[in-house]
């Protein structure tokens, strides 16, 4: 450093580095860095001095070099492109005049908590430990695409971007990043613009609890092909704009309990081809904007009917359990909102979920609704046959109706023919007439008791016998169709 004259403040930092001591330039503990542009020379350290210190700083026997600088104004551009920095870097509550450039750098540890920066350029950054930006205020983009962080990443309480200012790039770019620990963006984390996690791999938990993602009319979170190690927790998340989780893979739970998703006139949640253990919307606000869960695979889906928006996309959605338990009549109207119209698989999924918990009555209600919905897509003659099946036996899901119809027809025929016996075709050979079994002979297409062959009604009573034969065939056909459906569901 012979060619560079140090200020008194810089000399303190230089001397403390070799011993790993902290230099705190704040007049009082806890003072924010927002007013850093007004700080004078007594709190200013040139970026070129820090660069020289980190790349070729002094070492002291028995000491561990460590940059611990708090409450400083970093003037100029701290350029550490492709640098290999062996000492941990702790720049706490500092104010940066210019963007911090860590493109392709290799660091041991990086702490920028509560600092104020115009931007962070750290594409392909390598950090052997943790990256902490807790409480940071970054007005411009944070570029961490392709970074490799061997520990956790802390963004809790950070605020990225500026309200009302739309950047042409993400305010936080973590695309294709690899994090060997947790990713924490909770505790009041706020992003005014796009947060990109496309293709990111996070070994631990991903947390957006109490976060605010604001990108109205655009994408707020782009996390397609995200791979998480355990859970993605976004409890009490507020999102203005699209949340895109297409093809994400989370083995545990995605928790959107108490969250508010809002993108009116567009899609609020795109989670098509999502693979996740559990998806929770417990006590979440009604979603503003459409939701797509096409081809997604879930073990458990927790949502009440009121949370679903006016338009959904469910084609190919597969789940094992549906909670909380609700009457089928409350779940069914949601299926009418499917953008693709009649999607039979959606009905099968809800019915299967009810059967798994032993609610067979609800499952039958769902499947009956499925056939009624399908009937609306048929030609007139098929609709007519459908209406007949529905009226008589409820498409086979209301077998009690068939019994009631049969007993009613049996009663009508038995009473009528008891009062007006048909004449015997061969009086000498005919068995004794029995009005009940004669009516059964007419109603049952295959089973015979010998009465119909021995006796023949005349006039209006003959017309009744024809009507009973026709009704018997209709009952038999509709019952057979219902039995076939019941067997096919086993």
């Amino acid at each position: 450093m012979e060619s560079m004259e140090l200020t008194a403040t810089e000399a303190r930092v230089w001397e403390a580095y070799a011993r790993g001591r902290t230099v705190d330039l704040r007049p009082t503990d806890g003072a924010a860095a927002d007013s850093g542009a007004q700080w004078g020379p007594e709190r200013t350290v040139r970026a070129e001095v820090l660069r020289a210190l980190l790349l070729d700083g002094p070492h002291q026997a028995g000491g561990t070099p460590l940059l611990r600088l708090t409450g400083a104004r970093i003037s100029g551009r701290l350029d550490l492109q492709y640098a290999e920095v062996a000492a941990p870097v702790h720049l706490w509550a500092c104010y940066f005049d210019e963007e911090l450039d860590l493109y392709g750098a290799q660091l041991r540890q990086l702490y920028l908590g509560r600092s104020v920066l115009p931007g962070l350029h750290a594409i392909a950054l390598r950090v052997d430990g943790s990256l902490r930006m807790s409480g940071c205020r970054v007005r411009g983009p944070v570029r961490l695409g392709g970074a490799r962080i061997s520990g956790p990443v802390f963004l809790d309480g950070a605020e990225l971007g500026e309200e009302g200012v739309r950047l042409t790039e993400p305010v936080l770019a973590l695309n294709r990043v690899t994090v060997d620990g947790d990713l924490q963006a909770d505790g009041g984390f706020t992003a005014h613009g796009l947060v990109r996690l496309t293709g990111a791999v996070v070994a631990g938990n991903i947390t957006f609890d109490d976060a605010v993602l604001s990108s109205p009319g655009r994408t707020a979170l782009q996390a397609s092909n995200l791979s998480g190690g355990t859970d993605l927790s976004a409890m009490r998340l507020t999102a203005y704009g699209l949340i895109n989780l297409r093809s994400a893979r989370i083995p545990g739970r995605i928790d959107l309990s108490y969250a508010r998703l809002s993108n009116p006139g567009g899609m609020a949640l795109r989670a098509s081809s999502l693979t996740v253990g559990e998806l929770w919307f417990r006590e979440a606000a009604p979603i503003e904007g459409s939701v797509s869960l096409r081809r997604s695979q879930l073990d458990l889906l927790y949502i009440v009917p009121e949370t679903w928006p006016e338009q959904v996309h469910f084609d190919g959605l597969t789940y094992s359990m549906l909670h909380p338990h609700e009457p089928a009549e409350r779940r069914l109207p949601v299926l009418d909102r499917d953008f693709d119209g009649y999607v039979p698989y959606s009905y099968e999924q809800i019915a299967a979920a009810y059967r798994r918990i032993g609610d067979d009555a609800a499952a039958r209600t769902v499947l009956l609704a499925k056939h009624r919905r399908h009937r609306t897509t048929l030609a007139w003659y098929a609709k007519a046959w459908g209406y007949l099946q529905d009226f008589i036996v409820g498409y086979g899901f209301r077998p009690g109706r068939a019994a009631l119809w049969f007993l009613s027809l049996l009663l009508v025929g038995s009473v009528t023919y008891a009062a007006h016996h048909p004449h015997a075709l061969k009086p000498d050979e005919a068995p004794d007439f029995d009005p009940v079994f004669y009516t059964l002979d007419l109603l049952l297409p295959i089973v015979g008791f010998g009465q119909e062959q021995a006796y023949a009604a005349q006039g209006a009573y003959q017309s009744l016998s024809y009507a009973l034969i026709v009704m018997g065939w209709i009952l038999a056909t509709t019952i057979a169709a219902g039995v076939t459906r019941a067997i096919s569901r086993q």
Side-chain angles (χ1 to χ4, degrees):
M1 288 297 295
E2 294 84 359
S3 62
M4 185 182 299
E5 184 177 348
L6 300 179
T7 65
T9 300
E10 292 168 347
R12 284 180 60 193
V13 176
W14 195 272
E15 181 181 355
Y17 171 81
R19 300 180 182 181
R21 294 178 178 174
T22 299
V23 176
D24 192 342
L25 302 177
R26 296 174 296 178
T28 57
D29 291 342
D34 301 81
S35 59
Q38 283 76 48
W39 294 346
E42 74 284 355
R43 296 187 64 178
T44 300
V45 178
R46 288 170 292 171
E48 57 185 320
V49 173
L50 293 182
R51 173 182 167 82
L53 183 62
L54 292 170
L55 297 183
D56 194 23
H59 291 72
Q60 183 173 335
T64 301
L66 172 60
L67 177 58
R68 290 181 181 269
L69 180 57
T70 301
R73 176 182 179 180
I74 313 299
S75 64
R77 184 183 182 87
L78 181 51
D79 186 349
L80 293 172
Q81 287 192 61
Y82 301 108
E84 295 185 18
V85 179
V89 178
H90 292 191
L91 297 171
W92 201 262
C94 291
Y95 182 92
F96 290 76
D97 283 347
E98 298 184 32
E99 181 181 68
L100 175 58
D101 195 344
L102 300 175
Y103 184 93
Q106 298 184 37
L107 307 180
R108 183 176 176 182
Q109 193 176 66
L110 178 61
Y111 281 16
L112 296 170
R114 297 179 61 189
S115 292
V116 176
L117 303 88
L120 173 60
H121 189 205
I123 293 173
L125 171 69
R126 298 292 183 269
V127 180
D128 294 335
S130 59
L131 170 60
R132 183 179 290 273
M133 297 181 66
S134 304
C136 267
R137 177 72 177 89
V138 187
R139 297 185 297 275
V142 175
R143 307 182 190 94
L144 283 161
R148 175 66 187 260
I149 314 297
S150 298
V153 174
F154 298 97
L155 290 160
D156 48 301
E159 183 175 1
L160 310 182
E162 295 184 273
E163 187 175 359
V165 177
R166 286 195 171 186
L167 300 177
T168 57
E169 58 182 305
V171 293
L172 176 61
L174 290 167
N175 45 300
R176 299 184 303 280
V177 71
T178 301
V179 179
D180 291 341
D182 296 337
L183 172 60
Q184 289 188 237
D186 55 358
F189 171 80
T190 303
H192 302 288
L194 170 63
V195 173
R196 179 175 288 166
L197 279 165
T198 306
V201 178
V202 180
N205 286 312
I206 303 170
T207 309
F208 282 97
D209 292 345
D210 300 294
V212 177
L213 307 180
S214 182
S215 186
R218 306 171 77 180
T219 301
L221 175 63
Q222 174 60 265
S224 56
N225 295 293
L226 169 67
S227 179
T230 50
D231 299 331
L232 192 164
S233 181
M235 296 177 65
R236 298 171 299 278
L237 169 73
T238 300
Y240 302 104
L242 168 66
I243 300 296
N244 190 344
L245 296 172
R246 180 179 58 82
S247 299
R249 297 172 299 281
I250 306 294
R253 175 188 296 184
I254 294 179
D255 197 342
L256 288 161
S257 298
Y258 312 100
R260 180 188 177 189
L261 307 184
S262 178
N263 193 26
M267 185 166 287
L269 175 63
R270 177 179 288 125
S272 52
S273 300
L274 171 70
T275 303
V276 64
E278 301 177 4
L279 179 58
W280 283 64
F281 291 92
R282 184 171 185 171
E283 296 190 40
I287 298 172
E288 300 173 349
S290 62
V291 169
S292 176
L293 289 170
R294 285 173 172 163
R295 303 176 301 281
S296 291
Q297 298 182 31
L298 323 172
D299 290 331
L300 182 145
L301 175 60
Y302 189 109
I303 190 169
V304 296
E306 291 79 10
T307 302
W308 291 116
E310 290 303 313
Q311 187 179 96
V312 294
H313 305 256
F314 288 156
D315 193 12
L317 169 62
T318 301
Y319 50 86
S320 299
M321 304 294 290
L322 182 60
H323 288 291
H325 182 66
E326 296 275 359
E329 291 79 6
R330 281 178 40 79
R331 295 283 186 189
L332 286 170
V334 177
L335 302 185
D336 293 333
R337 307 175 195 173
D338 201 302
F339 178 81
D340 297 314
Y342 169 60
V343 180
Y345 191 68
S346 298
Y347 290 87
E348 294 288 347
Q349 282 296 294
I350 293 185
Y354 278 122
R355 283 199 295 268
R356 288 188 185 96
I357 62 173
D359 194 344
D360 291 331
R364 289 193 297 270
T365 298
V366 171
L367 293 174
L368 175 58
K370 170 192 169 185
H371 287 284
R372 288 172 174 170
R373 181 77 184 279
H374 178 241
R375 185 173 66 208
T376 64
T377 68
L378 302 176
W380 68 268
Y381 50 86
K383 285 182 180 179
W385 173 240
Y387 277 115
L388 185 59
Q389 291 187 78
D390 192 359
F391 181 66
I392 295 177
V393 292
Y395 283 100
F397 301 106
R398 299 290 185 263
R401 289 188 188 177
L404 183 61
W405 275 105
F406 185 83
L407 291 175
S408 298
L409 293 172
L410 180 61
L411 178 62
V412 170
S414 299
V415 171
T416 301
Y417 293 120
H420 304 278
H421 287 201
H423 72 277
L425 296 177
K426 296 181 180 180
D428 296 337
E429 301 177 8
D432 293 338
F433 179 75
D434 188 310
V436 174
F437 282 95
Y438 180 73
T439 305
L440 285 174
D441 258 352
L442 297 174
L443 286 172
L444 298 176
I446 299 175
V447 179
F449 296 98
Q451 293 284 313
E452 183 184 2
Q453 289 77 18
Y455 294 91
Q458 293 180 334
Y461 304 106
Q462 185 179 38
S463 299
L464 175 61
S465 67
Y466 292 155
L468 291 173
I469 291 172
V470 171
M471 290 300 297
W473 274 104
I474 292 175
L475 275 174
T477 304
T478 53
I479 291 171
V483 170
T484 301
R485 293 189 189 98
I487 294 175
S488 66
R489 293 195 301 271
Q490 302 302 318

